[in-house]
Amino acid sequence: MSRLADSELRDVGELGALERQVVDFFVDGVRVLGLPRSIGEIYGLLFISQEPLALDDLVMRLGISKGSASQGLRTLKVLGAVREAVRGEERRTYFEPAVDLKRLVGGFIREQIRPHLDSGKVKIGRLGEAVQVEVDAGRREFLTERLERVEHWMRSSGRVLPLLQQLLGE
Amino acid sequence: MSRLADSELRDVGELGALERQVVDFFVDGVRVLGLPRSIGEIYGLLFISQEPLALDDLVMRLGISKGSASQGLRTLKVLGAVREAVRGEERRTYFEPAVDLKRLVGGFIREQIRPHLDSGKVKIGRLGEAVQVEVDAGRREFLTERLERVEHWMRSSGRVLPLLQQLLGE
DNA sequence: TACTTTGTTCAAAAAAGTTTGAACAAAGTG
DNA sequence: CACTTTGTTCAAACTTTTTTGAACAAAGTA
């Protein structure tokens, strides 16, 4: 019965109550990470699907546009959160979720955090030079101290991130 | 010279080049955390100010509205990222930044991450019940496995966060 | 009491971010 | 070649979030 009902839903492109709940769970989840709703929907649906899904499945079942699905899948691929399923004869590509937390966290760190940390380090470096131009000695000392503190923050973060990923993998 | 130029700027309510750079640095920083621009501006200006600043200082020097400054300061207080400076006679309240990374991270975890983790746990619990209603045994098994995986993610995260804070404090 | 200073609140305006859908490209098929 | 399927791109529409600023409250002052 349920199998039948499920595949009926699949055909008309609607989500069952349970699927809707799971999808919403991931929508909330990715919002915390600063990612758009559609990304959460796509990952969530892949996560509870026993079979890999193609772009058109996502469009139909989630009721989102092809554009959203395409861009969402790209982002998820870049993050390493979905992979293409190997599917012999078919032309279209099917996707399955990465479900390993360590890998998910790794992708997020690599794509969303590292770049900011790196560009931040460059900016702080430039600021350090700018501070040397400051003529007032007391002000210069204060600014130097503050900038060193930020550098220290960033070094700490850089050290801790891989460790964090390691710990989450266990 | 420089002191004089600085206080002139302070009076007309503009930021020097160095201050602007530091403020922009923090604007970028808080964006990564999903917080609005004004929060980064306020924290950034406090961070490079040798003296505590009052709401009106922020309004004038950053060129933001009273409303923004008021709400931004509230958020920063809740996050534990600014504190009120004790300033004897004056009526208005002055603020200084918390510059201890451990404390900053602690506030962020407490206010922005924990609540989501907690409500997530509740939702997953409800989903676990919903899965038991699923009649197809294979589907039920699959869903149970996936849900347990998410539970495991959340337990791991809950364990790792305090550790993360600890490590950043060193 | 009337006036000033300090700060909060919240509806409306502005800005920022997301989604859509039509146009397009690439590749397979008959 | 003409047609279909699969997927991408991106300007415009839409949605969400942030900021503004005017009204208000609280508290000090004269």
Side-chain angles (χ1 to χ4, degrees), chain A residues 55-56 66-67 70-71 74 91-93:
Chain A
L55 188 142
D56 277 343
K66 261 190 345 159
S70 176
Q71 286 186 194
R74 170 166 52 210
R91 170 137 89 101
R92 58 175 162 179
T93 56

Side-chain angles (χ1 to χ4, degrees), chain A residues 73-86:
Chain A
L73 280 171
R74 170 166 52 210
T75 302
L76 286 165
K77 276 186 276 183
V78 169
L79 284 171
V82 308
R83 61 161 62 79
E84 302 188 2
V86 275

Side-chain angles (χ1 to χ4, degrees), chain B residues 35-99:
Chain B
L35 300 170
R37 168 177 200 88
S38 61
I39 302 260
E41 292 185 315
I42 294 168
Y43 183 82
L45 184 56
L46 291 174
F47 189 83
I48 39 155
S49 294
Q50 234 150 329
E51 304 298 330
L53 302 178
L55 189 143
D56 278 341
D57 298 323
L58 297 168
V59 168
M60 287 192 305
R61 306 205 54 219
L62 294 170
I64 62 181
S65 68
K66 269 204 319 173
S68 262
S70 176
Q71 287 185 192
L73 280 170
R74 170 167 49 212
T75 301
L76 285 165
K77 275 186 275 185
V78 169
L79 285 171
V82 307
R83 59 162 64 78
E84 302 188 0
V86 276
R87 270 287 192 112
E89 69 288 349
E90 288 246 35
R91 168 137 90 99
R92 60 175 161 177
T93 56
Y94 285 81
F95 297 91
E96 33 186 39
V99 296

